[in-house]
Amino acid sequence: DQQVKQNSPSLSVQEGRISILNCDYTNSMFDYFLWYKKYPAEGPTFLISISSIKDKNEDGRFTVFLNKSAKHLSLHIVPSQPGDSAVYFCAARDNTNAGKSTFGDGTTLTVKP
Amino acid sequence: DVKVTQSSRYLVKRTGEKVFLECVQDMDHENMFWYRQDPGLGLRLIYFSYDVKMKEKGDIPEGYSVSREKKERFSLILESASTNQTSMYLCASSPDPTGAAFFGQGTRLTVV
């Protein structure tokens, strides 16, 4: 049973527009959520996170929204740039379970010039 | 900047071989992790360690073991490599369990 799901394997967006990447989770014990970005032939790099006590966290062009009642989070990138083209992983952490992170399958974002 | 270094980018091994994947981090992090990444399956945790000589099983530990003799080094061992262990292996470290993880560049292992 997959506890963290990214239902869209891919997303294509025009440069300058908004990119919205979605993530759903099932485990109500998750209390911390992270987004990572991964370029081909590199390891993932941390992008932005949010604690379950918040509903929004912003860092420059990147904003993460958390809807706890719906067990849903989203990553907004505005404006999107070609350099944002990468695989984006959503991860959720359960601090009652030794702080292990559970990752989604990833969404491949392509930003077209 | 935190640096997590994996000893090999690409490895090709034969079925039945014992395989060692090495990972070193230079930021004195307590926590280290091994994941494998497969298409459509995301990143799955194999083993992790919160301290020297300490190890905990992740979600898919079967067929793997680990060693952490020094704080900066975390090794993943495939006791007898099989073709279903062909994958991208990613090592990560973090300063605490709640912090973001820093990943190495990955090792693409092919078992033939």
Short mmCIF file of all heavy atoms in Angstrom, two decimals, chain A residues 18-56:
data_model
loop_
_atom_site.label_atom_id
_atom_site.label_comp_id
_atom_site.label_asym_id
_atom_site.label_seq_id
_atom_site.Cartn_x
_atom_site.Cartn_y
_atom_site.Cartn_z
N ILE A 18 2.46 29.00 -14.32
CA ILE A 18 2.54 28.32 -13.04
C ILE A 18 2.61 26.80 -13.23
O ILE A 18 1.93 26.25 -14.10
CB ILE A 18 1.34 28.69 -12.13
CG1 ILE A 18 1.49 28.07 -10.75
CG2 ILE A 18 0.03 28.27 -12.79
CD1 ILE A 18 0.44 28.58 -9.75
N SER A 19 3.47 26.16 -12.46
CA SER A 19 3.51 24.69 -12.40
C SER A 19 2.93 24.28 -11.05
O SER A 19 3.31 24.84 -10.02
CB SER A 19 4.94 24.16 -12.49
OG SER A 19 5.54 24.47 -13.72
N ILE A 20 2.02 23.32 -11.08
CA ILE A 20 1.43 22.81 -9.85
C ILE A 20 1.63 21.31 -9.81
O ILE A 20 1.13 20.58 -10.66
CB ILE A 20 -0.07 23.15 -9.75
CG1 ILE A 20 -0.28 24.66 -9.78
CG2 ILE A 20 -0.66 22.56 -8.46
CD1 ILE A 20 -1.74 25.09 -9.79
N LEU A 21 2.39 20.87 -8.82
CA LEU A 21 2.65 19.44 -8.64
C LEU A 21 1.91 18.98 -7.39
O LEU A 21 1.97 19.63 -6.35
CB LEU A 21 4.14 19.17 -8.51
CG LEU A 21 4.97 19.50 -9.76
CD1 LEU A 21 5.55 20.89 -9.68
CD2 LEU A 21 6.07 18.48 -9.95
N ASN A 22 1.24 17.86 -7.50
CA ASN A 22 0.38 17.40 -6.42
C ASN A 22 0.89 16.12 -5.76
O ASN A 22 1.58 15.31 -6.39
CB ASN A 22 -1.03 17.16 -6.96
CG ASN A 22 -1.69 18.44 -7.41
OD1 ASN A 22 -1.84 19.37 -6.63
ND2 ASN A 22 -2.10 18.49 -8.67
N CYS A 23 0.48 15.97 -4.52
CA CYS A 23 0.91 14.81 -3.73
C CYS A 23 -0.20 14.48 -2.73
O CYS A 23 -0.71 15.39 -2.06
CB CYS A 23 2.22 15.15 -3.02
SG CYS A 23 2.90 13.85 -1.99
N ASP A 24 -0.57 13.21 -2.63
CA ASP A 24 -1.56 12.78 -1.66
C ASP A 24 -0.95 11.75 -0.73
O ASP A 24 -0.09 10.97 -1.14
CB ASP A 24 -2.77 12.15 -2.38
CG ASP A 24 -3.49 13.15 -3.25
OD1 ASP A 24 -4.05 14.11 -2.68
OD2 ASP A 24 -3.47 13.00 -4.48
N TYR A 25 -1.39 11.72 0.50
CA TYR A 25 -0.87 10.76 1.46
C TYR A 25 -2.02 10.14 2.23
O TYR A 25 -3.12 10.68 2.29
CB TYR A 25 0.17 11.40 2.38
CG TYR A 25 -0.36 12.51 3.26
CD1 TYR A 25 -0.77 12.26 4.58
CD2 TYR A 25 -0.42 13.82 2.80
CE1 TYR A 25 -1.23 13.28 5.39
CE2 TYR A 25 -0.89 14.84 3.60
CZ TYR A 25 -1.29 14.57 4.90
OH TYR A 25 -1.75 15.58 5.70
N THR A 26 -1.75 8.99 2.82
CA THR A 26 -2.81 8.27 3.53
C THR A 26 -2.56 8.15 5.03
O THR A 26 -3.50 7.97 5.79
CB THR A 26 -2.97 6.86 2.95
OG1 THR A 26 -1.70 6.17 3.03
CG2 THR A 26 -3.42 6.90 1.50
N ASN A 27 -1.29 8.28 5.43
CA ASN A 27 -0.94 8.06 6.83
C ASN A 27 -1.12 9.35 7.64
O ASN A 27 -0.39 10.32 7.44
CB ASN A 27 0.51 7.59 6.91
CG ASN A 27 0.93 7.16 8.31
OD1 ASN A 27 0.26 7.47 9.29
ND2 ASN A 27 2.03 6.45 8.40
N SER A 28 -2.05 9.36 8.55
CA SER A 28 -2.32 10.57 9.32
C SER A 28 -1.22 10.87 10.35
O SER A 28 -1.24 11.92 10.99
CB SER A 28 -3.67 10.45 10.03
OG SER A 28 -3.68 9.31 10.86
N MET A 29 -0.28 9.94 10.51
CA MET A 29 0.84 10.18 11.43
C MET A 29 1.96 11.01 10.79
O MET A 29 2.88 11.44 11.46
CB MET A 29 1.42 8.86 11.93
CG MET A 29 0.44 8.00 12.69
SD MET A 29 -0.28 8.87 14.09
CE MET A 29 1.16 9.07 15.13
N PHE A 30 1.89 11.21 9.49
CA PHE A 30 2.89 12.06 8.84
C PHE A 30 2.75 13.48 9.37
O PHE A 30 1.66 14.04 9.40
CB PHE A 30 2.72 12.08 7.33
CG PHE A 30 3.09 10.79 6.65
CD1 PHE A 30 2.37 10.36 5.53
CD2 PHE A 30 4.17 10.03 7.07
CE1 PHE A 30 2.71 9.18 4.88
CE2 PHE A 30 4.51 8.85 6.43
CZ PHE A 30 3.77 8.42 5.33
N ASP A 31 3.87 14.07 9.78
CA ASP A 31 3.78 15.42 10.33
C ASP A 31 4.79 16.39 9.74
O ASP A 31 4.93 17.52 10.21
CB ASP A 31 3.91 15.39 11.85
CG ASP A 31 5.20 14.74 12.30
OD1 ASP A 31 6.01 14.36 11.44
OD2 ASP A 31 5.40 14.62 13.51
N TYR A 32 5.49 15.93 8.72
CA TYR A 32 6.46 16.83 8.09
C TYR A 32 6.59 16.39 6.64
O TYR A 32 6.70 15.19 6.36
CB TYR A 32 7.81 16.71 8.82
CG TYR A 32 8.79 17.82 8.53
CD1 TYR A 32 8.60 19.09 9.05
CD2 TYR A 32 9.92 17.59 7.75
CE1 TYR A 32 9.50 20.11 8.80
CE2 TYR A 32 10.82 18.60 7.50
CZ TYR A 32 10.62 19.85 8.03
OH TYR A 32 11.51 20.86 7.78
N PHE A 33 6.58 17.36 5.73
CA PHE A 33 6.55 17.04 4.31
C PHE A 33 7.64 17.82 3.59
O PHE A 33 7.92 18.97 3.90
CB PHE A 33 5.18 17.39 3.72
CG PHE A 33 4.05 16.71 4.44
CD1 PHE A 33 3.45 17.31 5.53
CD2 PHE A 33 3.59 15.47 4.04
CE1 PHE A 33 2.43 16.69 6.22
CE2 PHE A 33 2.57 14.82 4.71
CZ PHE A 33 1.99 15.44 5.81
N LEU A 34 8.25 17.15 2.62
CA LEU A 34 9.38 17.75 1.90
C LEU A 34 9.21 17.53 0.41
O LEU A 34 8.61 16.54 -0.03
CB LEU A 34 10.70 17.11 2.35
CG LEU A 34 10.98 17.03 3.85
CD1 LEU A 34 10.60 15.66 4.40
CD2 LEU A 34 12.44 17.31 4.15
N TRP A 35 9.76 18.45 -0.35
CA TRP A 35 9.85 18.29 -1.80
C TRP A 35 11.33 18.29 -2.18
O TRP A 35 12.12 19.11 -1.70
CB TRP A 35 9.15 19.43 -2.53
CG TRP A 35 7.65 19.33 -2.53
CD1 TRP A 35 6.80 19.91 -1.64
CD2 TRP A 35 6.84 18.62 -3.46
NE1 TRP A 35 5.50 19.60 -1.97
CE2 TRP A 35 5.49 18.81 -3.08
CE3 TRP A 35 7.10 17.83 -4.59
CZ2 TRP A 35 4.42 18.24 -3.78
CZ3 TRP A 35 6.05 17.27 -5.28
CH2 TRP A 35 4.73 17.48 -4.89
N TYR A 36 11.66 17.36 -3.07
CA TYR A 36 13.01 17.26 -3.59
C TYR A 36 12.94 17.37 -5.12
O TYR A 36 11.96 16.95 -5.75
CB TYR A 36 13.66 15.92 -3.23
CG TYR A 36 13.97 15.72 -1.78
CD1 TYR A 36 13.02 15.27 -0.88
CD2 TYR A 36 15.26 15.98 -1.29
CE1 TYR A 36 13.33 15.07 0.46
CE2 TYR A 36 15.57 15.78 0.04
CZ TYR A 36 14.60 15.33 0.91
OH TYR A 36 14.91 15.14 2.23
N LYS A 37 14.02 17.88 -5.69
CA LYS A 37 14.14 17.98 -7.13
C LYS A 37 15.31 17.11 -7.57
O LYS A 37 16.36 17.09 -6.92
CB LYS A 37 14.38 19.44 -7.52
CG LYS A 37 14.53 19.67 -9.00
CD LYS A 37 14.49 21.16 -9.33
CE LYS A 37 15.74 21.88 -8.92
NZ LYS A 37 15.72 23.29 -9.43
N LYS A 38 15.13 16.43 -8.69
CA LYS A 38 16.20 15.54 -9.16
C LYS A 38 16.42 15.74 -10.66
O LYS A 38 15.50 15.55 -11.46
CB LYS A 38 15.86 14.08 -8.86
CG LYS A 38 16.98 13.11 -9.24
CD LYS A 38 16.59 11.68 -8.98
CE LYS A 38 17.76 10.73 -9.28
NZ LYS A 38 18.22 10.81 -10.67
N TYR A 39 17.67 16.09 -10.99
CA TYR A 39 18.07 16.14 -12.39
C TYR A 39 18.64 14.78 -12.79
O TYR A 39 19.11 14.03 -11.92
CB TYR A 39 19.14 17.22 -12.61
CG TYR A 39 18.65 18.63 -12.42
CD1 TYR A 39 19.19 19.45 -11.43
CD2 TYR A 39 17.67 19.18 -13.25
CE1 TYR A 39 18.76 20.75 -11.26
CE2 TYR A 39 17.24 20.48 -13.09
CZ TYR A 39 17.79 21.26 -12.09
OH TYR A 39 17.37 22.55 -11.92
N PRO A 40 18.61 14.46 -14.08
CA PRO A 40 19.18 13.18 -14.53
C PRO A 40 20.63 13.02 -14.09
O PRO A 40 21.39 13.99 -14.10
CB PRO A 40 19.06 13.27 -16.06
CG PRO A 40 17.96 14.22 -16.31
CD PRO A 40 18.03 15.23 -15.19
N ALA A 41 21.00 11.83 -13.69
CA ALA A 41 22.38 11.49 -13.31
C ALA A 41 22.85 12.23 -12.07
O ALA A 41 24.06 12.32 -11.82
CB ALA A 41 23.34 11.72 -14.47
N GLU A 42 21.92 12.80 -11.29
CA GLU A 42 22.29 13.42 -10.02
C GLU A 42 21.37 12.89 -8.93
O GLU A 42 20.29 12.39 -9.20
CB GLU A 42 22.14 14.94 -10.09
CG GLU A 42 23.10 15.61 -11.04
CD GLU A 42 22.94 17.12 -11.02
OE1 GLU A 42 22.28 17.64 -10.10
OE2 GLU A 42 23.48 17.78 -11.93
N GLY A 43 21.82 13.05 -7.68
CA GLY A 43 20.94 12.70 -6.58
C GLY A 43 19.90 13.79 -6.34
O GLY A 43 20.07 14.93 -6.79
N PRO A 44 18.81 13.48 -5.65
CA PRO A 44 17.81 14.50 -5.34
C PRO A 44 18.40 15.60 -4.46
O PRO A 44 19.30 15.36 -3.65
CB PRO A 44 16.74 13.72 -4.56
CG PRO A 44 16.96 12.29 -4.92
CD PRO A 44 18.42 12.15 -5.15
N THR A 45 17.88 16.80 -4.63
CA THR A 45 18.27 17.91 -3.76
C THR A 45 17.02 18.47 -3.10
O THR A 45 15.96 18.58 -3.72
CB THR A 45 18.99 19.03 -4.53
OG1 THR A 45 18.15 19.46 -5.60
CG2 THR A 45 20.30 18.55 -5.10
N PHE A 46 17.18 18.83 -1.85
CA PHE A 46 16.06 19.36 -1.08
C PHE A 46 15.62 20.70 -1.64
O PHE A 46 16.43 21.56 -1.99
CB PHE A 46 16.49 19.52 0.39
CG PHE A 46 15.51 20.30 1.21
CD1 PHE A 46 14.28 19.75 1.53
CD2 PHE A 46 15.81 21.57 1.65
CE1 PHE A 46 13.37 20.46 2.30
CE2 PHE A 46 14.92 22.30 2.42
CZ PHE A 46 13.70 21.74 2.74
N LEU A 47 14.29 20.88 -1.72
CA LEU A 47 13.75 22.10 -2.29
C LEU A 47 13.03 22.95 -1.24
O LEU A 47 13.37 24.10 -1.01
CB LEU A 47 12.79 21.72 -3.41
CG LEU A 47 12.28 22.79 -4.35
CD1 LEU A 47 13.43 23.50 -5.04
CD2 LEU A 47 11.35 22.17 -5.39
N ILE A 48 12.04 22.37 -0.60
CA ILE A 48 11.21 23.11 0.35
C ILE A 48 10.47 22.12 1.22
O ILE A 48 10.26 20.97 0.81
CB ILE A 48 10.23 24.05 -0.40
CG1 ILE A 48 9.58 25.05 0.56
CG2 ILE A 48 9.18 23.24 -1.16
CD1 ILE A 48 8.80 26.16 -0.16
N SER A 49 10.10 22.55 2.43
CA SER A 49 9.39 21.65 3.33
C SER A 49 8.28 22.40 4.04
O SER A 49 8.20 23.64 3.99
CB SER A 49 10.36 21.06 4.35
OG SER A 49 10.92 22.08 5.16
N ILE A 50 7.43 21.63 4.71
CA ILE A 50 6.35 22.23 5.50
C ILE A 50 6.02 21.30 6.65
O ILE A 50 5.96 20.08 6.50
CB ILE A 50 5.11 22.51 4.61
CG1 ILE A 50 4.07 23.31 5.40
CG2 ILE A 50 4.50 21.22 4.06
CD1 ILE A 50 2.98 23.91 4.52
N SER A 51 5.81 21.92 7.79
CA SER A 51 5.38 21.17 8.96
C SER A 51 3.86 21.05 8.94
O SER A 51 3.17 21.90 8.39
CB SER A 51 5.82 21.91 10.23
OG SER A 51 5.15 21.42 11.35
N SER A 52 3.36 20.03 9.61
CA SER A 52 1.91 19.81 9.60
C SER A 52 1.14 20.87 10.39
O SER A 52 -0.08 20.95 10.31
CB SER A 52 1.58 18.43 10.16
OG SER A 52 2.06 18.32 11.48
N ILE A 53 1.85 21.70 11.14
CA ILE A 53 1.15 22.76 11.88
C ILE A 53 0.93 24.00 11.02
O ILE A 53 0.30 24.96 11.45
CB ILE A 53 1.91 23.14 13.17
CG1 ILE A 53 3.31 23.70 12.84
CG2 ILE A 53 2.01 21.94 14.10
CD1 ILE A 53 4.02 24.26 14.06
N LYS A 54 1.47 23.97 9.80
CA LYS A 54 1.29 25.09 8.88
C LYS A 54 0.47 24.64 7.68
O LYS A 54 0.33 23.45 7.41
CB LYS A 54 2.65 25.61 8.42
CG LYS A 54 3.49 26.19 9.52
CD LYS A 54 4.74 26.83 8.95
CE LYS A 54 5.53 27.54 10.04
NZ LYS A 54 6.74 28.19 9.49
N ASP A 55 -0.05 25.63 6.94
CA ASP A 55 -0.73 25.28 5.71
C ASP A 55 -0.06 25.85 4.46
O ASP A 55 -0.47 25.57 3.34
CB ASP A 55 -2.21 25.69 5.75
CG ASP A 55 -2.38 27.17 6.07
OD1 ASP A 55 -1.40 27.93 5.96
OD2 ASP A 55 -3.51 27.57 6.42
N LYS A 56 0.99 26.64 4.69
CA LYS A 56 1.68 27.24 3.56
C LYS A 56 3.11 27.56 3.95
O LYS A 56 3.37 28.01 5.07
CB LYS A 56 0.94 28.51 3.13
CG LYS A 56 1.59 29.29 1.99
CD LYS A 56 0.77 30.55 1.71
CE LYS A 56 1.44 31.43 0.66
NZ LYS A 56 0.67 32.67 0.42
#
